[in-house]
Amino acid sequence: MGNPHLFEGVVLEDRPKKRIFIGLLVITCLILFFLIFLVWYVPLVGLKNIHSSLPLIFTFTLAVLVFLMISGGLLLIFTILRGKDTFFSHKLRGIVAKVLFPFMILMGKMVGVSKEKVQQSFIELNNHLVRSNRPQTRPSRLLVLLPHCIQNFDCQIKITGNIKNCKGCGKCEIKDLVELSDRYQVKIAVATGGTLARRIIVENRPEGIVAVACELDLTSGIQDSYPIPVIGILNERPQGPCFNTKVNIEKVKSGILDFLEPESR
Ligand code: SF4
C-alpha cells in the first residue's frame, strides 16, 4: 500500500492502481472492436442473399453497440478524471461490478497482471465511483462491516453477535472501530464470512456500507451488494492472511464521512 493523497478533505488511495483497470479496459475494447468488425464483415455477403436491406440493419445494430461501448468507456474515464457525479454514474458502477470486472480478471491473466492487482484496481475504481456519486446517508442507515480476523486471536470475547461486547483493552483495532461507530452513531458489525455478511446486510437494510476485508471478500461483497454503495477498505496482513489483521482507522473514518450528510458529521 502506498501513500494516500489528500484531495478536498477526502483521503484518496494511490492512483496507479486505478490505471490497471483502465488499461485493461482499453485493451478489451480494442479486441472487442476487432471482433465486432469480423462479426460485421464476414456475414455481410451472406445476409445480402437473404434480403437486400439486412446488411444495413445489421450494420446499424453493430454501430449502436460500438457507440454504446465508446460512450460508456468515455463516461467512465470522464467520471474518474472529474471526480464528480456524471449521468448514469451509479449505473456505471453496476456495469463495472457485474460485467467488466470478470472480463478484466481474464484480460489481466492474458497480459500477466495478477488477480490481486486487478481486484485492488477494481476496489479503488468502485470507491471512486461511489464518491463521485456523493452518497448521502443517515447515520442509522450506514453500516461498517468488519472481518472477524481483525479481532485479536487470543481474545476470548465473542464479538460476532454483538461487537459492543468488546472490553476495549486495545490489543486490537476493534476498540478504535467501536469508538468510531459510537462517535458517528453508525451501525457496526463483524462477519465471519460471506454468508453472515449477507445476512447482516439483509437484516440492517443499510443505505451505504463501509466494508473492511481482503481483496477477494471485498470484490465479491461489492458485487453482491450492488446497488447499495460500498466503500471498500483493504485490511493489512502483517502476520499473514486471516490472522490478527489490521486496518487504517483514518481510512475507515474517511469512508464513514464520505456517506454522512454534513449535519451528521
Ligand atoms: S480490543 Fe476488544 S476485541 Fe480486541 S482484544 Fe481487546 S477486548 Fe478483545
Side-chain angles (χ1 to χ4, degrees):
M1 305 275 290
N3 293 328
H5 303 289
L6 279 170
F7 179 68
E8 289 184 349
V10 174
V11 177
L12 295 178
E13 287 153 5
D14 286 339
R15 285 173 188 276
K17 272 195 236 125
K18 230 165 7 200
R19 287 190 196 138
I20 293 175
F21 203 94
I22 300 297
L24 292 174
L25 186 65
V26 170
I27 297 173
T28 309
C29 281
L30 291 176
I31 293 173
L32 282 177
F33 287 152
F34 180 67
L35 289 177
I36 286 174
F37 173 75
L38 285 184
V39 167
W40 169 75
Y41 187 71
V42 174
L44 213 56
V45 184
L47 284 174
K48 219 182 267 174
N49 295 334
I50 302 170
H51 195 281
S52 59
S53 57
L54 269 183
L56 192 66
I57 296 169
F58 188 55
T59 304
F60 179 74
T61 310
L62 289 183
V64 169
L65 193 68
V66 170
F67 174 75
L68 288 177
M69 274 173 62
I70 293 176
S71 11
L74 287 177
L75 197 60
L76 186 60
I77 292 168
F78 186 60
T79 308
I80 290 165
L81 293 178
R82 202 161 162 254
K84 286 182 185 164
D85 191 14
T86 51
F87 323 103
F88 313 119
S89 69
H90 62 290
K91 289 262 182 261
L92 263 184
R93 203 168 57 76
I95 294 169
V96 169
K98 302 272 183 189
V99 185
L100 293 180
F101 176 63
F103 265 116
M104 297 305 110
I105 291 281
L106 201 73
M107 197 51 65
K109 216 181 254 179
M110 282 166 69
V111 297
V113 181
S114 71
K115 195 174 178 177
E116 204 175 60
K117 281 223 160 38
V118 182
Q119 286 168 332
Q120 289 171 359
S121 178
F122 164 71
I123 294 160
E124 195 182 327
L125 185 61
N126 165 78
N127 290 356
H128 192 92
L129 291 174
V130 170
R131 285 181 178 125
S132 305
N133 235 343
R134 303 265 188 271
Q136 299 271 284
T137 313
R138 288 163 289 166
S140 59
R141 300 300 296 275
L142 181 60
L143 174 68
V144 178
L145 199 51
L146 307 168
H148 188 227
C149 55
I150 281 202
Q151 183 181 24
N152 184 289
F153 186 75
D154 297 321
C155 179
Q156 299 299 316
I157 296 163
K158 186 169 163 39
I159 58 165
T160 40
N162 181 6
I163 192 173
K164 304 275 166 111
N165 288 340
C166 164
K167 299 291 178 222
C169 75
K171 281 188 188 156
C172 70
E173 280 151 347
I174 296 290
K175 170 184 180 282
D176 302 315
L177 291 160
V178 170
E179 283 174 6
L180 209 56
S181 79
D182 287 343
R183 180 173 166 192
Y184 293 106
Q185 295 295 300
V186 297
K187 289 181 178 170
I188 186 164
V190 174
T192 45
T195 311
L196 183 57
R198 268 185 284 277
R199 210 176 78 199
I200 292 169
I201 291 170
V202 169
E203 282 170 3
N204 287 281
R205 294 189 296 117
E207 290 170 352
I209 301 171
V210 177
V212 178
C214 60
E215 285 85 352
L216 184 65
D217 288 351
L218 272 185
T219 45
S220 58
I222 290 169
Q223 286 176 306
D224 292 350
S225 307
Y226 183 81
I228 302 171
V230 179
I231 291 274
I233 298 163
L234 281 172
N235 60 5
E236 295 159 17
R237 290 150 280 182
Q239 298 183 47
C242 312
F243 182 76
N244 286 346
T245 60
K246 297 193 170 301
V247 64
N248 183 325
I249 300 294
E250 280 305 310
K251 284 188 183 175
V252 180
K253 182 179 158 190
S254 167
I256 292 172
L257 292 178
D258 282 333
F259 278 107
L260 293 186
E261 294 159 342
E263 60 270 21
S264 314
R265 296 180 180 185

